Amino acid sequence: AQKVTQAQTEISVVEKEDVTLDCVYETRDTTYYLFWYKQPPSGELVFLIRRNSFDEQNEISGRYSWNFQKSTSSFNFTITASQVVDSAVYFCALNDNFNKFYFGSGTKLNVKP
Amino acid sequence: DAGITQSPRHKVTETGTPVTLRCHQTENHRYMYWYRQDPGHGLRLIHYSYGVKDTDKGEVSDGYSVSRSKTEDFLLTLESATSSQTSVYFCAISVHKGQGNTGELFFGEGSRLTVL
């Protein structure tokens, strides 16, 4: 069965601190896709990144970086020099190359000034 | 902007009444989804559709039905609403990238349903 676990329910940091959000997934498929979404307090869901199972290269986009490790079934998300605007709920998701997307329960990030 | 519109955005209803939520897209995407979001559970798939009249169940489909008679519309119906169905409902489309359904999901703005 497919499963995504985000063990960190809520994280609080002070602005400019680095923070890592953990995501662990389970799947028996060899081809799959991993995603991160952001849900700011306004409620919309914003796509951040997609990564396929054959591409383990880390990715950096500005202050955001993602570390994909198949050996540990993890797809962690790091925000460098956090800002108040990063405060949101972040969701990790798995697509098993069929029709379904599975989401973790989310991590709420509070960035304090 | 993936052109997804959900209606109504807010609804309060009473236990036992039927409720229909509508998701409308403007870009002819094949795959459409209904999720519910509840504290501590993240987003859970209710039903999804892979074409006109082609639908399948998700992980929390009990008490819900769906219909897709046109590519652009995906309806979610609660035949007899219960308080446990109080939630925020999100519609989503998947932008198909090729073989398999590997595109990311784009979400509507959500519909907040309260069942008293």
Side-chain angles (χ1 to χ4, degrees):
Chain A
Q2 327 292 2
K3 185 179 180 182
V4 177
T5 301
Q6 294 180 257
Q8 303 154 309
T9 304
E10 188 166 353
I11 301 174
S12 292
V13 299
V14 177
E15 207 169 19
K16 297 184 183 179
E17 287 186 13
D18 298 346
V19 58
T20 296
L21 309 182
D22 297 333
C23 173
V24 175
Y25 62 92
E26 297 176 27
T27 180
R28 293 180 182 176
D29 297 310
T30 56
T31 301
Y32 52 89
Y33 296 80
L34 297 165
F35 304 82
W36 276 95
Y37 284 84
K38 175 181 180 180
Q39 187 176 43
S42 52
E44 72 271 25
L45 285 151
V46 179
F47 164 75
L48 294 177
I49 189 172
R50 178 184 56 157
R51 172 65 80 228
N52 73 57
S53 54
F54 298 108
D55 182 2
E56 288 193 71
Q57 282 190 339
N58 292 334
E59 181 154 344
I60 298 174
S61 176
R63 297 184 295 107
Y64 295 172
S65 61
W66 290 269
N67 180 259
F68 175 31
Q69 292 194 336
K70 289 179 74 171
S71 60
T72 56
S73 297
S74 65
F75 186 44
N76 295 338
F77 174 28
T78 297
I79 301 175
T80 302
S82 60
Q83 299 176 2
V84 172
V85 293
D86 295 327
S87 296
V89 179
Y90 291 87
F91 292 98
C92 181
L94 166 71
N95 171 270
D96 58 7
N97 203 33
F98 288 92
N99 297 315
K100 299 181 179 179
F101 292 74
Y102 303 87
F103 284 80
S105 54
T107 297
K108 185 177 182 181
L109 175 64
N110 302 304
V111 181
K112 303 175 182 179
Chain B
D1 183 2
I4 305 171
T5 306
Q6 291 185 228
S7 60
R9 295 289 313 283
H10 300 273
K11 185 171 182 67
V12 179
T13 190
E14 294 189 350
T15 298
T17 60
V19 176
T20 295
L21 304 180
R22 178 181 183 239
C23 178
H24 178 80
Q25 60 147 328
T26 59
E27 298 183 0
N28 282 333
H29 293 293
R30 180 180 173 191
Y31 294 91
M32 298 183 76
Y33 302 79
W34 276 109
Y35 283 87
R36 60 178 288 175
Q37 183 178 15
D38 304 288
H41 292 279
L43 291 152
R44 292 181 292 175
L45 180 63
I46 305 172
H47 282 279
Y48 69 99
S49 170
Y50 46 97
V52 173
K53 299 186 179 179
D54 290 324
T55 65
D56 203 354
K57 296 179 179 180
E59 56 191 310
V60 290
S61 59
D62 287 348
Y64 301 95
S65 62
V66 290
S67 66
R68 193 166 179 202
S69 58
K70 301 185 288 185
T71 299
E72 58 265 36
D73 288 327
F74 191 33
L75 304 181
L76 176 70
T77 298
L78 292 66
E79 300 290 349
S80 178
T82 67
S83 58
S84 64
Q85 293 176 312
T86 292
S87 187
V88 179
Y89 292 85
F90 284 95
C91 175
I93 61 168
S94 176
V95 179
H96 194 65
K97 297 289 186 180
Q99 187 176 6
N101 184 16
T102 59
E104 55 268 28
L105 290 177
F106 290 95
F107 288 88
E109 295 176 308
S111 296
R112 182 174 295 276
L113 175 66
T114 302
V115 183
L116 302 175

